[in-house]
Amino acid sequence: MTQMTVPPRGEKWTPPHTLLLMTAEKPRPRPATQYGDTAKSVAQNVLRLRKRRDMSIYQLSAALRDAGRPITPAAVGKIEREQRQVTVDDLAALAVVLGVSPGALLLPPNDRLDSSIAVTGAGKVPAQDAWDWAEGRRPLKVPGRAEQVDPLEYLVNGVPPEQRRFRQHPVGRALEAVTDDVKIMHARLRYHLFSHPERADRLAERTRQAVERLAAEVDRLAGDLANGADQQAEGGRDGAGLD
């Protein structure tokens, strides 16, 4: 026989089965949304770009609905306040509607030579390396990690075939070298990261040589293109005489 517990004088008695139901029905607290560095960047970028385009959360929500990815105004606000995670489809639609690349949402708008960016899975990395990785130019080198992605493996696995062929072509490699050198020169001047005069001269000379190599490769490519057109024309004339 179950022993009945008598409550102290003046307190209301509650049957045990009622206490059990009350405990079972008590709502459990929802776990806090875990936001990594990249998720925080997405939230901040959505807010920044929406304001830059002078859009309200209602206008952005309407644009997303028209784009086929409806997100309510309340949900847009939660995204910006880091209270709602962004799915891959959300990210793509937000990038389309806000007129930027997905990478522009994933990374902070910072590419100074002397700065770093926190990327989920990689930690702090040089800002320009992070942007080169986001733009698909080269693999991301993670500080302190012995094993890094081989550049050739990166091209094979992470770049579409036509882009890969162009990057491996002498013209593509020469263009890459010119782009890198000019970016370094411009960034050093822009952010007042001046080097010694002799270093600046060496960098300028290296850039001029890279430009000359690029011009030579373009001329060679144009010559190959002209020869290919001549051969195609010759083949067409030969084919016409056989009919």
Side-chain angles (χ1 to χ4, degrees):
M1 181 176 180
T2 305
Q3 184 177 1
M4 300 293 290
T5 302
V6 180
R9 185 181 299 276
E11 292 188 12
K12 185 178 179 181
W13 181 75
T14 304
H17 68 278
T18 304
L19 288 173
L20 181 62
L21 288 175
M22 290 172 62
T23 303
E25 293 173 358
K26 185 178 180 180
R28 297 180 180 179
R30 297 180 62 182
T33 302
Q34 297 298 317
Y35 263 64
D37 294 317
T38 302
K40 292 178 181 178
S41 294
V42 171
Q44 294 166 4
N45 283 326
V46 170
L47 174 61
R48 174 180 61 86
L49 292 167
R50 176 179 66 77
K51 290 186 174 181
R52 186 175 181 85
R53 291 177 64 87
D54 197 24
M55 299 175 71
S56 68
I57 59 173
Y58 301 97
Q59 290 171 320
L60 179 54
S61 175
L64 289 165
R65 183 187 64 243
D66 294 341
R69 187 66 182 178
I71 300 178
T72 66
V76 171
K78 287 183 178 180
I79 288 173
E80 296 178 349
R81 295 191 300 272
E82 300 180 21
Q83 296 174 350
R84 180 186 185 276
Q85 287 280 13
V86 174
T87 68
V88 175
D89 287 324
D90 293 342
L91 182 75
L94 284 164
V96 170
V97 169
L98 293 170
V100 296
S101 69
L105 292 178
L106 293 171
L107 299 179
N110 173 24
D111 62 350
R112 288 178 59 105
L113 282 176
D114 58 346
S115 62
S116 60
I117 286 177
V119 177
T120 300
K124 289 274 186 109
V125 297
Q128 287 207 338
D129 289 353
W131 277 100
D132 285 344
W133 166 70
E135 293 170 356
R137 296 188 62 205
R138 52 178 60 93
L140 184 64
K141 294 182 180 180
V142 181
R145 187 174 299 176
E147 295 183 0
Q148 302 287 351
V149 178
D150 180 74
L152 182 58
E153 181 183 357
Y154 175 78
L155 283 176
V156 171
N157 296 329
V159 178
E162 285 303 319
Q163 285 194 35
R164 182 170 68 244
R165 294 187 188 98
F166 173 72
R167 293 189 189 186
Q168 293 175 310
H169 192 277
V171 172
R173 292 199 297 269
L175 179 60
E176 188 78 9
V178 172
T179 301
D180 287 342
D181 286 346
V182 172
K183 281 177 63 177
I184 292 173
M185 293 178 68
H186 179 267
R188 287 187 178 279
L189 182 62
R190 173 70 177 82
Y191 297 115
H192 306 291
L193 300 175
F194 301 113
S195 56
H196 297 291
E198 61 273 13
R199 294 180 182 176
D201 289 341
R202 286 198 299 268
L203 178 58
E205 180 59 27
R206 188 180 74 185
T207 306
R208 281 191 289 268
Q209 292 175 0
V211 171
E212 291 173 359
R213 287 195 299 272
L214 175 60
E217 293 298 341
V218 170
D219 289 341
R220 186 176 294 111
L221 182 62
D224 293 343
L225 186 62
N227 291 334
D230 290 341
Q231 293 174 5
Q232 185 177 11
E234 289 293 334
R237 284 195 290 271
D238 292 343
L242 295 175
D243 288 339

